Coordinates of all heavy atoms in Angstrom, one line a residue:
A222 N 20.1 60.0 -69.2 CA 18.7 60.5 -69.5 C 18.3 61.5 -68.4 O 17.5 62.4 -68.7 CB 17.8 59.4 -69.6
G223 N 18.7 61.3 -67.2 CA 18.2 62.1 -66.0 C 19.2 61.9 -64.9 O 20.3 61.3 -65.0
P224 N 18.8 62.4 -63.7 CA 19.7 62.2 -62.5 C 20.1 60.7 -62.4 O 19.2 59.9 -62.4 CB 18.8 62.7 -61.4 CG 18.0 63.7 -62.0 CD 17.7 63.2 -63.4
T225 N 21.3 60.4 -62.2 CA 21.8 59.1 -62.2 C 22.8 58.8 -61.1 O 23.7 59.7 -60.8 CB 22.5 58.7 -63.6 OG1 21.6 59.0 -64.6 CG2 22.9 57.3 -63.6
N226 N 22.7 57.7 -60.5 CA 23.7 57.3 -59.4 C 24.9 56.7 -60.1 O 24.9 55.8 -60.9 CB 23.1 56.2 -58.6 CG 23.9 55.8 -57.3 OD1 24.7 56.7 -56.9 ND2 23.7 54.6 -56.8
V227 N 26.1 57.4 -60.0 CA 27.3 57.0 -60.7 C 28.4 56.8 -59.7 O 28.4 57.2 -58.5 CB 27.7 58.1 -61.7 CG1 26.7 58.3 -62.7 CG2 28.0 59.4 -61.0
H228 N 29.5 56.1 -60.1 CA 30.7 55.9 -59.4 C 31.9 56.6 -60.1 O 32.2 56.3 -61.3 CB 31.0 54.4 -59.1 CG 30.1 53.8 -58.2 ND1 28.8 53.4 -58.5 CD2 30.3 53.5 -56.8 CE1 28.2 52.9 -57.4 NE2 29.1 52.9 -56.4
V229 N 32.6 57.5 -59.5 CA 33.6 58.3 -60.1 C 35.0 57.6 -59.7 O 35.3 57.5 -58.5 CB 33.6 59.8 -59.6 CG1 34.8 60.5 -60.2 CG2 32.3 60.4 -60.0
L230 N 35.7 57.2 -60.7 CA 37.0 56.6 -60.5 C 38.1 57.6 -60.2 O 39.0 57.4 -59.4 CB 37.4 55.7 -61.7 CG 36.5 54.5 -62.0 CD1 36.9 53.9 -63.4 CD2 36.5 53.5 -60.9
C231 N 38.1 58.7 -61.0 CA 39.2 59.7 -60.9 C 38.7 61.0 -61.5 O 37.6 61.0 -62.2 CB 40.5 59.3 -61.4 SG 40.4 58.9 -63.2
Q232 N 39.4 62.1 -61.4 CA 39.0 63.4 -62.0 C 40.3 64.1 -62.6 O 41.4 63.9 -62.1 CB 38.3 64.2 -61.0 CG 39.1 64.6 -59.8 CD 38.2 65.3 -58.7 OE1 37.3 66.0 -59.1 NE2 38.6 65.1 -57.5
K233 N 40.0 64.9 -63.6 CA 41.1 65.7 -64.1 C 40.6 67.0 -64.7 O 39.4 67.1 -64.9 CB 41.9 64.9 -65.2 CG 41.1 64.6 -66.5 CD 42.0 63.8 -67.4 CE 41.3 63.6 -68.8 NZ 42.2 62.9 -69.7
Q234 N 41.5 67.9 -65.0 CA 41.0 69.2 -65.6 C 41.0 69.1 -67.1 O 41.8 68.4 -67.7 CB 42.0 70.3 -65.2 CG 41.9 70.7 -63.7 CD 42.8 71.8 -63.3 OE1 44.0 71.7 -63.4 NE2 42.3 72.9 -62.8
G235 N 40.0 69.8 -67.7 CA 39.8 69.7 -69.1 C 39.2 71.0 -69.6 O 39.4 72.1 -69.0
D236 N 38.3 70.9 -70.6 CA 37.6 72.1 -71.1 C 36.7 72.6 -70.1 O 36.1 71.9 -69.3 CB 36.9 71.7 -72.4 CG 37.7 71.5 -73.6 OD1 38.9 71.8 -73.5 OD2 37.2 70.9 -74.6
T237 N 36.5 74.0 -70.1 CA 35.6 74.6 -69.2 C 34.2 74.5 -69.7 O 33.9 74.7 -70.9 CB 35.9 76.1 -69.0 OG1 37.3 76.2 -68.5 CG2 34.9 76.8 -68.1
V238 N 33.3 74.1 -68.8 CA 31.9 73.9 -69.2 C 31.1 75.0 -68.4 O 31.3 75.2 -67.2 CB 31.4 72.5 -68.8 CG1 29.9 72.4 -69.1 CG2 32.1 71.5 -69.7
N239 N 30.1 75.6 -69.0 CA 29.2 76.6 -68.4 C 27.8 76.1 -68.4 O 27.3 75.6 -69.4 CB 29.3 77.9 -69.1 CG 30.7 78.5 -69.2 OD1 31.3 78.8 -68.2 ND2 31.2 78.6 -70.4
A240 N 27.1 76.1 -67.2 CA 25.7 75.7 -67.2 C 25.1 76.3 -65.9 O 25.7 76.3 -64.8 CB 25.6 74.2 -67.1
E241 N 23.9 76.8 -66.1 CA 23.1 77.3 -64.9 C 23.8 78.4 -64.2 O 23.7 78.5 -62.9 CB 22.7 76.1 -64.0 CG 21.9 75.0 -64.6 CD 20.5 75.5 -64.9 OE1 20.0 76.4 -64.2 OE2 19.9 75.0 -65.8
G242 N 24.6 79.2 -64.9 CA 25.4 80.2 -64.2 C 26.7 79.8 -63.5 O 27.3 80.6 -62.8
Y243 N 27.1 78.6 -63.7 CA 28.3 78.1 -63.1 C 29.3 77.7 -64.2 O 28.9 77.4 -65.4 CB 28.1 76.8 -62.3 CG 27.2 77.1 -61.1 CD1 25.8 76.9 -61.2 CD2 27.7 77.6 -59.9 CE1 25.0 77.1 -60.1 CE2 26.9 77.8 -58.8 CZ 25.5 77.6 -58.9 OH 24.7 77.8 -57.8
S244 N 30.6 77.7 -63.8 CA 31.7 77.3 -64.7 C 32.6 76.3 -64.0 O 32.8 76.5 -62.8 CB 32.5 78.5 -65.2 OG 31.8 79.4 -66.0
N245 N 33.0 75.3 -64.7 CA 33.9 74.3 -64.1 C 34.7 73.6 -65.2 O 34.2 73.3 -66.3 CB 33.0 73.2 -63.4 CG 33.8 72.4 -62.4 OD1 35.0 72.3 -62.5 ND2 33.1 71.8 -61.5
N246 N 36.1 73.5 -64.9 CA 36.9 72.8 -65.9 C 37.4 71.4 -65.4 O 38.3 70.8 -65.9 CB 38.1 73.7 -66.2 CG 39.1 73.8 -65.1 OD1 38.8 73.6 -63.9 ND2 40.4 74.1 -65.4
W247 N 36.8 70.9 -64.3 CA 37.1 69.6 -63.8 C 36.1 68.6 -64.4 O 34.9 68.9 -64.5 CB 37.0 69.5 -62.2 CG 38.2 70.2 -61.6 CD1 38.3 71.5 -61.1 CD2 39.4 69.5 -61.3 NE1 39.5 71.7 -60.6 CE2 40.3 70.5 -60.6 CE3 39.9 68.2 -61.4 CZ2 41.5 70.2 -60.2 CZ3 41.2 67.9 -61.0 CH2 42.0 68.9 -60.4
W248 N 36.6 67.4 -64.7 CA 35.8 66.3 -65.3 C 36.0 65.0 -64.5 O 37.1 64.8 -63.9 CB 36.3 66.1 -66.7 CG 35.9 67.2 -67.7 CD1 36.5 68.4 -67.7 CD2 35.0 67.1 -68.8 NE1 36.0 69.2 -68.7 CE2 35.1 68.4 -69.4 CE3 34.2 66.1 -69.3 CZ2 34.3 68.6 -70.6 CZ3 33.5 66.4 -70.4 CH2 33.5 67.6 -71.0
S249 N 35.0 64.2 -64.4 CA 35.0 63.0 -63.7 C 34.9 61.8 -64.6 O 34.1 61.8 -65.6 CB 33.8 62.9 -62.7 OG 33.9 63.8 -61.6
K250 N 35.8 60.8 -64.4 CA 35.7 59.5 -65.1 C 34.8 58.6 -64.4 O 35.0 58.2 -63.3 CB 37.1 58.9 -65.3 CG 37.1 57.7 -66.2 CD 38.5 57.1 -66.4 CE 38.5 55.9 -67.3 NZ 39.9 55.4 -67.5
L251 N 33.7 58.2 -65.2 CA 32.7 57.3 -64.6 C 33.0 55.8 -64.8 O 33.3 55.4 -65.9 CB 31.3 57.6 -65.2 CG 30.9 59.1 -65.1 CD1 29.5 59.3 -65.7 CD2 31.0 59.6 -63.7
R252 N 32.9 55.1 -63.7 CA 33.2 53.7 -63.8 C 32.3 52.9 -64.7 O 32.8 52.1 -65.5 CB 33.1 53.1 -62.3 CG 33.4 51.6 -62.2 CD 33.0 51.0 -60.9 NE 31.6 50.9 -60.8 CZ 30.9 50.5 -59.7 NH1 31.6 50.4 -58.5 NH2 29.6 50.4 -59.7
D253 N 31.0 53.0 -64.6 CA 30.1 52.2 -65.3 C 29.8 52.7 -66.7 O 29.4 51.9 -67.6 CB 28.8 52.0 -64.5 CG 29.0 51.4 -63.1 OD1 29.8 50.5 -63.0 OD2 28.4 51.9 -62.2
Q254 N 29.9 54.0 -67.0 CA 29.6 54.5 -68.3 C 30.8 54.6 -69.2 O 30.7 54.8 -70.4 CB 29.0 55.9 -68.1 CG 27.6 55.9 -67.6 CD 27.6 55.6 -66.1 OE1 28.6 55.8 -65.4 NE2 26.4 55.2 -65.5
G255 N 32.0 54.4 -68.7 CA 33.3 54.3 -69.5 C 33.7 55.6 -70.2 O 34.2 55.6 -71.3
G256 N 33.4 56.7 -69.5 CA 33.8 58.0 -70.1 C 33.8 59.1 -69.1 O 33.7 58.8 -67.8
F257 N 33.9 60.4 -69.5 CA 34.0 61.5 -68.6 C 32.7 62.4 -68.7 O 32.1 62.5 -69.8 CB 35.2 62.4 -69.0 CG 36.5 61.7 -68.7 CD1 37.1 60.8 -69.5 CD2 37.2 62.1 -67.6 CE1 38.3 60.2 -69.2 CE2 38.4 61.6 -67.3 CZ 39.0 60.6 -68.1
I258 N 32.4 63.0 -67.6 CA 31.4 64.1 -67.6 C 32.0 65.3 -66.9 O 32.8 65.1 -66.0 CB 30.0 63.7 -67.0 CG1 30.2 63.4 -65.5 CG2 29.4 62.6 -67.7 CD1 28.9 63.3 -64.7
S259 N 31.5 66.5 -67.2 CA 31.9 67.6 -66.5 C 31.5 67.6 -65.0 O 30.3 67.2 -64.8 CB 31.4 68.9 -67.2 OG 31.5 70.0 -66.3

Side-chain angles (χ1 to χ4, degrees):
T225 305
N226 190 25
V227 297
H228 287 78
V229 177
L230 296 174
C231 59
Q232 60 187 330
K233 68 178 183 178
Q234 291 180 302
D236 289 348
T237 298
V238 176
N239 302 295
E241 300 289 333
Y243 296 94
S244 296
N245 199 336
N246 71 336
W247 284 93
W248 292 66
S249 290
K250 184 176 183 180
L251 305 184
R252 183 190 73 188
D253 301 318
Q254 289 76 19
F257 289 81
I258 64 167
S259 167

